[in-house]
Amino acid sequence: MMPGVINQHSSGAPLLRVRGLDLDFGSPRGRVHALRGVSLDVSAGEVVGIVGESGSGKSTLAYTLMGLLAENAEVTGGEILFEGRDLLRMAPAARRDLLGNRLSMIFQDPMTGLNPVRTIERQMIDAQHHQPGSRREKRDRAVAMLARVGIPDPQSRIGGYPHEFSGGMRQRICIAMALLVRPALLIADEPTTALDATLEVQIIHLLKDLQKEIGCSILFVSHHLGTVAELCDQVAVMYAGEVIEHGPVRDIFRNPAHPYTRALLECDPGRIRQKTRLLPTIPGEVPGLVGSQRGCIFRQRCGYAFAPCADERPAEYSVGAAQGARCHLLAPTSGVPA
Ligand code: SF4
């Protein structure tokens, strides 16, 4: 945990603690096990990245934390403790009260978070409904926040509608709106994926600066390892609905322990030193998640698979002080060099 942050949970426990979270989607083909035994901590003032390919469950996890799930979704096990309270067992009204207050979210598509038929002014004032102050004071706060995120001439632009702004400006407005309430935790679901590389860098720097100013925690969902390395303190690597490795960003990038994490890093264009026309990929596809799964979820694509991988789900093994990974190779008794 970082010193000097303002959102330290008083008991000393992590701000967010997810334990054994299971989530299914009902489908005509059967139950899709989209999250399986997910555990994760986010401490106060910390930026935690969730990284993985499409279909890894990272966005599903973000939406589950926010309670924004489709009707066919069902949490079948686990707990989500936020500031010591289990969100899954909280009365709906109490949970709604946290949203846009202690918990905020920014989405991949800024239009998901903005109402196209309301002015930015109205939306930013409404976003402060938990905050004290007159309408005038709330407007002033909104204008100041727009200026802070780099919207030019915010005094007059605040009267505009979302479609009057570019994609990058809209994402800045979403960040302003999400942080205006000074949340304890900001959940950012691939907020830079729809932007070009230059804008992506600008938005990451902006998020980094604002996170330090406000002292909030961020759970940052991304498929882009370079962005996670730039922004995050900790990272959880997800594959097919499971967290297969987690730890400090520095340790995971220097010493990835799980074969999937290693493969992901080898495919990252930012880490490829030699000139190449063909970017490497991980052979195979993320497995379907309908029905029960046996053994290691990565075994069909793993070049290191050996006998136990087909039948036994790997336990989590410690790799150094704060890093852990789910792979039989890491078992002290495996006898196979990792
Ligand atoms: Fe590969 Fe087996 Fe480790 Fe899974 S448990 S990642 S299949 S070696």
Side-chain angles (χ1 to χ4, degrees), residues 258-259 296 298-299 302 304-306 309 314 327-329:
H258 195 284
C296 172
F298 186 56
R299 69 183 184 283
C302 181
Y304 301 89
F306 62 121
C309 308
C327 174
H328 288 307
L329 290 172

Side-chain angles (χ1 to χ4, degrees), residues 17 22 31 42 46 54 68 76 82 96-97 107 109 140 166 180 193 198 213 251 254 259 263 271 283:
R17 168 160 280 188
D22 294 314
R31 311 272 301 173
V42 180
E46 200 171 55
S54 296
L68 302 174
T76 57
F82 176 68
R96 272 198 304 276
D97 229 33
F107 301 86
D109 175 2
D140 289 346
S166 67
L180 189 57
T193 300
T198 314
E213 282 169 35
D251 297 350
R254 275 196 203 146
R271 295 168 67 99

Side-chain angles (χ1 to χ4, degrees), residues 55-72:
S56 62
K58 55 193 190 305
S59 290
T60 301
L61 174 61
Y63 280 79
T64 306
L65 299 177
M66 289 298 286
L68 302 174
L69 285 170
E71 280 187 359
N72 63 340

Side-chain angles (χ1 to χ4, degrees), residues 66-313:
M66 289 298 286
L68 302 174
L69 285 170
E71 280 187 359
N72 63 340
E74 186 189 354
V75 174
T76 57
E79 57 184 21
I80 303 172
L81 298 173
F82 176 68
E83 298 183 319
R85 296 196 292 166
D86 190 347
L87 298 184
L88 297 173
R89 283 156 192 89
M90 196 178 267
R95 191 163 185 192
R96 272 198 304 276
D97 229 33
L98 289 174
L99 302 186
N101 184 19
R102 301 295 293 159
L103 265 173
S104 274
M105 185 161 184
I106 47 179
F107 301 86
Q108 181 175 337
D109 175 2
M111 288 309 277
T112 307
L114 294 171
N115 185 332
V117 298
R118 286 181 155 206
T119 62
I120 302 300
E121 175 175 355
R122 186 144 177 220
Q123 295 185 58
M124 290 189 80
I125 288 173
D126 287 352
Q128 299 174 72
H129 66 278
H130 288 289
Q131 315 290 312
S134 66
R135 192 178 171 82
R136 180 84 236 167
E137 287 165 335
K138 289 179 180 178
R139 186 185 188 280
D140 289 346
R141 283 204 288 260
V143 168
M145 198 60 177
L146 287 178
R148 177 64 192 86
V149 299
I151 303 293
D153 189 18
Q155 273 292 359
S156 65
R157 299 290 320 262
I158 196 171
Y161 289 86
H163 71 269
E164 296 173 51
F165 294 84
S166 67
M169 286 293 164
R170 281 202 286 261
Q171 198 55 293
R172 286 173 190 268
I173 292 168
C174 288
I175 292 170
M177 217 143 85
L179 293 180
L180 189 57
V181 296
R182 303 182 88 81
L185 176 64
L186 173 70
I187 297 179
D189 181 28
E190 306 223 36
T192 58
T193 300
L195 306 177
D196 65 40
T198 314
L199 281 176
E200 178 172 37
V201 173
Q202 290 175 6
I203 294 287
I204 293 303
H205 287 165
L206 178 65
L207 270 177
K208 215 171 173 175
D209 292 346
L210 286 168
Q211 184 267 335
K212 286 203 184 101
E213 282 169 35
I214 292 171
C216 63
S217 305
I218 299 181
L219 190 67
F220 185 82
V221 176
S222 180
H223 63 270
H224 190 181
L225 290 164
T227 314
V228 168
E230 174 86 8
L231 181 68
C232 302
D233 306 305
Q234 303 277 332
V235 61
V237 182
M238 286 193 74
Y239 183 76
E242 293 185 15
V243 173
I244 51 92
E245 182 159 10
H246 67 88
V249 164
R250 198 186 45 246
D251 297 350
I252 299 258
F253 277 65
R254 275 196 203 146
N255 180 32
H258 195 284
Y260 176 65
T261 314
R262 283 188 221 150
L264 261 189
L265 288 168
E266 282 161 15
C267 295
D268 180 19
R271 295 168 67 99
I272 296 171
R273 298 274 167 261
Q274 287 162 345
K275 253 188 173 179
T276 177
R277 283 173 170 271
L278 286 177
L279 287 174
T281 54
I282 305 173
E285 288 174 6
V286 178
L289 298 176
V290 175
S292 58
Q293 304 283 337
R294 283 178 65 193
C296 172
I297 194 77
F298 186 56
R299 69 183 184 283
Q300 289 93 344
R301 301 172 79 184
C302 181
Y304 301 89
F306 62 121
C309 308
D311 293 318
E312 295 164 32
R313 185 184 182 217

